[in-house]
Amino acid sequence: MAKDYTISINYLERLLDMLAAYPDDETIIADYEKLNDYISRLKNNYNTSAPTTSLINRLSIDYGVLSFFKPYYPLAKSLTTTKYHYTDFYSKEPYHPLDITTEETIKILKDFFKQQGEFFYSQFLDFLDEAEDHLEYISPNNSTDGEILFIKSLAEAFVSIANYPNICKLSISSHEFTHVIDAFNNPNFHEQLLIRELSSMFMEIIASDYFAQKLNLGNDNIKRRAYLHGLIKDQAMDVIRKTQLLHIYGKYQDSSKKRLFSILRNNGFNKKNIETYEKYCLIEDYYYIIAQLIAIELYFIYLNNQDYALIILEDIIMNGTDNNILNILQYYNINLTDHLPAYEDILIKGLKK
């Protein structure tokens, strides 16, 4: 008999009540806030409320952390200066239709993760033991393609995935399940916001190839990978402009609000632009950019030496932080952007097949 994979809001609310009984524990307080937000999103079809912090305060917060991103800014810029525009990666050809049940999806994911070794496979199996009320495939909507809530104090993960009738259902599953695996292997890695998307993005790249070959989906793997890469290139362009915005803000932050916005407007940033750029904080803007560049380099290593690539990835998951990631990459002689042109060439060539 097929299992009923459904996330129960009643169960989540009981967990919330339980967490509320520990108001002095910082970890539990953070989990309470995340869970409360997640419940709200589920009740509102995954819509998120607009930021309540004032626009000026959001600019101030982002400017305050701008120096941290100085080493990463040139890397983001590299994504905007290749010979391809981000729109070149959006295929007009549809994906092959794929009618696959949740049970079938889980089975093929089990086969995939088993091939990546015990470090990944064992934690995936652990999640499957509780997945029936911790996993749900939802109707595709404009608010989410997939997401995970990890409650650190309880070591529980909840996963929502858009139920697309094509390879995206599988590729998104590989992405979100990898987040679960990471969190189970090292709960602290999930808190490294700059790099926590790395393993999920890498696994989605290699999993897309696996699914396309296994299910005879033609070049749907390339279409999916190219689409994601185009989104990240577009995001990098926003980061460049937002960084310019923040530098101007920093120069005139002590001016009156009226003068500040006048100066920003004269430099090409009207209030609507600023609201758009400040919908997310700067660390959120970088979520996928650095992760994608690392994933690309790991992908080329994986093609030649699967075991070595996974050893590097495991080291990053267990020991990597937002502060030491560049040192770890240097240890393995990984230079970000080395294979970026080759990766983009592969995608563009693959889209023409």
Side-chain angles (χ1 to χ4, degrees), residues 27 31 34 149-156 187-189 191:
T27 299
D31 282 342
K34 288 189 295 184
L149 169 72
F150 178 64
I151 305 178
K152 185 177 180 180
S153 58
L154 301 176
E156 289 196 50
N188 293 325
F189 183 74
E191 299 171 356

Side-chain angles (χ1 to χ4, degrees), residues 16-29:
L16 193 67
D17 289 341
M18 184 173 67
L19 295 177
Y22 301 90
D24 299 322
D25 187 301
E26 291 184 2
T27 299
I28 294 179
I29 291 171

Side-chain angles (χ1 to χ4, degrees), residues 66-116:
L66 189 61
S67 61
F68 173 79
F69 295 97
K70 189 173 182 179
Y72 302 106
Y73 178 82
L75 296 171
K77 193 171 184 179
S78 69
L79 279 163
T80 71
T81 56
T82 65
K83 61 184 177 181
Y84 301 111
H85 191 260
Y86 75 90
T87 55
D88 294 333
F89 296 90
Y90 299 155
S91 173
K92 296 180 181 178
E93 297 296 321
Y95 293 113
H96 289 75
L98 182 62
D99 183 14
I100 185 169
T101 67
T102 296
E103 293 287 359
E104 290 169 337
T105 297
I106 289 174
K107 183 180 183 302
I108 195 171
L109 263 295
K110 281 180 68 176
D111 294 340
F112 167 73
F113 282 117
K114 187 174 183 179
Q115 292 191 17
Q116 312 316 316

Side-chain angles (χ1 to χ4, degrees), residues 44-207:
N44 291 282
N45 196 29
Y46 292 89
N47 288 313
T48 301
S49 302
T52 56
T53 308
S54 74
L55 188 56
I56 289 292
N57 284 344
R58 278 179 271 157
L59 285 166
S60 176
I61 292 169
D62 275 346
Y63 181 74
V65 298
L66 189 61
S67 61
F68 173 79
F69 295 97
K70 189 173 182 179
Y72 302 106
Y73 178 82
L75 296 171
K77 193 171 184 179
S78 69
L79 279 163
T80 71
T81 56
T82 65
K83 61 184 177 181
Y84 301 111
H85 191 260
Y86 75 90
T87 55
D88 294 333
F89 296 90
Y90 299 155
S91 173
K92 296 180 181 178
E93 297 296 321
Y95 293 113
H96 289 75
L98 182 62
D99 183 14
I100 185 169
T101 67
T102 296
E103 293 287 359
E104 290 169 337
T105 297
I106 289 174
K107 183 180 183 302
I108 195 171
L109 263 295
K110 281 180 68 176
D111 294 340
F112 167 73
F113 282 117
K114 187 174 183 179
Q115 292 191 17
Q116 312 316 316
E118 191 67 16
F119 179 81
F120 301 96
Y121 185 56
S122 62
Q123 300 292 7
F124 181 57
L125 293 181
D126 282 350
F127 175 69
L128 291 185
D129 287 341
E130 63 181 25
E132 190 166 3
D133 55 0
H134 287 64
L135 168 66
E136 185 167 1
Y137 283 87
I138 62 175
S139 297
N141 62 75
N142 293 327
S143 299
T144 186
D145 271 347
E147 59 188 73
I148 168 184
L149 169 72
F150 178 64
I151 305 178
K152 185 177 180 180
S153 58
L154 301 176
E156 289 196 50
F158 297 87
V159 182
S160 307
I161 299 169
N163 193 21
Y164 289 109
N166 51 48
I167 193 175
C168 294
K169 177 176 182 176
L170 291 169
S171 67
I172 295 168
S173 295
S174 70
H175 183 110
E176 300 303 334
F177 288 147
T178 300
H179 276 310
V180 175
I181 292 167
D182 289 348
F184 282 4
N185 273 315
N186 178 11
N188 293 325
F189 183 74
H190 193 68
E191 299 171 356
Q192 305 305 311
L193 302 183
L194 183 69
I195 61 172
R196 76 175 180 188
E197 294 292 338
L198 158 61
S199 47
S200 287
M201 295 176 72
F202 168 75
M203 285 297 180
E204 186 164 4
I205 289 174
I206 63 173

